[in-house]
Structure formats: structure tokens, C-alpha cells
Amino acid sequence: MLRLTAKEEELMRFFWDKGALFIKEILAFYDEPKPHFNTLSTVVRGLEEKGFLSHRAYGNTYCYHPVVSEEEYSEGTLRGVISKYFHDSYLHAVSSLVRNENISIEDLKALIHEVETKNKK
């Protein structure tokens, strides 16, 4: 899955939170100084080219909607990190989190219990 820039991810969060939007609606989410309409339009069209958004035409304006969910994107991003930095090993990733105390042993036990319960169903 393609990566998003910080600006692209910020825009995608609006779509994930709100659903279909017109560019003018997106402008309302920003504080002053607001980005220029053409700047937002360019980024949104780039997101469409990357396959994250699609649009419906209403006269001479477009309403954009997400075609990749936030969950799909985050899972793809996690798979990319695991692949790139942990040699495709989720075990190495979790071990690193435990070693660096980003996850406690109690949390790890709860995760194992959750996985075991899910697998029994």
C-alpha cells in the first residue's frame, strides 16, 4: 500500500471522520490562515490518483469520498513497518516493544488471552 504524506494523512482523517466531502467543506475544518482552495484540491486529486479517494460529479464540482478505510490503511502501514524494520516478524516487533517497555508483561498477557479467545470462536 502506498504511503501518505503528513498533509495527505491529515486530509484523509477528515474523510475517515466525516465521509464524503466537497473541497469547500474541507476548508471549514482549518483555522486561519486557511490553506488555499487550489492547494487542497491538488492534494485531494493526488489522493484520488493514489487510490485513496474517489469522486462523484455534481455539475462542475466534485464530492470526494474515501475508498480505503482508516483500518485498511493502518493495517497496511503496520505490515510495512513490520516488513521493513522487523524482517517480516511480528514476534520481533512485539519483542522490541516488550524490551523497550512500550508494552508491559500484563498487557502482553492480556493480548495473548484476547488472541486465544478469538481463535477459539
Side-chain angles (χ1 to χ4, degrees):
M1 177 173 287
L2 295 173
R3 299 258 184 210
L4 296 176
T5 66
K7 183 57 71 182
E8 289 171 334
E9 192 168 333
E10 177 183 50
L11 279 171
M12 282 304 299
R13 293 211 182 281
F14 294 140
F15 288 103
W16 289 327
D17 291 344
K18 309 290 184 191
L21 296 166
F22 293 93
I23 302 293
K24 286 190 177 192
E25 292 176 309
I26 298 169
L27 278 170
F29 301 136
Y30 286 95
D31 295 327
E32 293 295 338
K34 294 181 183 293
H36 193 275
F37 179 92
N38 290 345
T39 302
L40 285 181
S41 182
T42 298
V43 177
V44 167
R45 283 193 318 270
L47 286 167
E48 187 173 29
E49 288 173 14
K50 286 183 171 183
F52 286 90
L53 296 175
S54 188
H55 73 269
R56 283 210 169 111
Y58 293 92
N60 62 351
T61 188
Y62 294 146
C63 184
Y64 294 90
H65 59 276
V67 293
V68 173
S69 72
E70 185 174 16
E71 184 178 327
E72 289 170 324
Y73 178 69
S74 63
E75 287 175 3
T77 301
L78 178 59
R79 277 192 299 275
V81 168
I82 299 295
S83 174
K84 183 174 183 178
Y85 298 105
F86 298 99
H87 308 292
D88 284 324
S89 171
Y90 284 83
L91 179 59
H92 286 132
V94 172
S95 296
S96 175
L97 291 171
V98 171
R99 259 193 323 275
N100 294 314
E101 298 178 25
N102 296 63
I103 185 171
S104 69
I105 298 298
E106 293 76 27
D107 288 341
L108 187 56
K109 287 178 183 177
L111 178 61
I112 291 168
H113 177 73
E114 183 180 320
V115 170
E116 287 175 340
T117 302
K118 190 175 182 179
N119 284 339
K120 287 180 183 178
K121 290 182 180 180

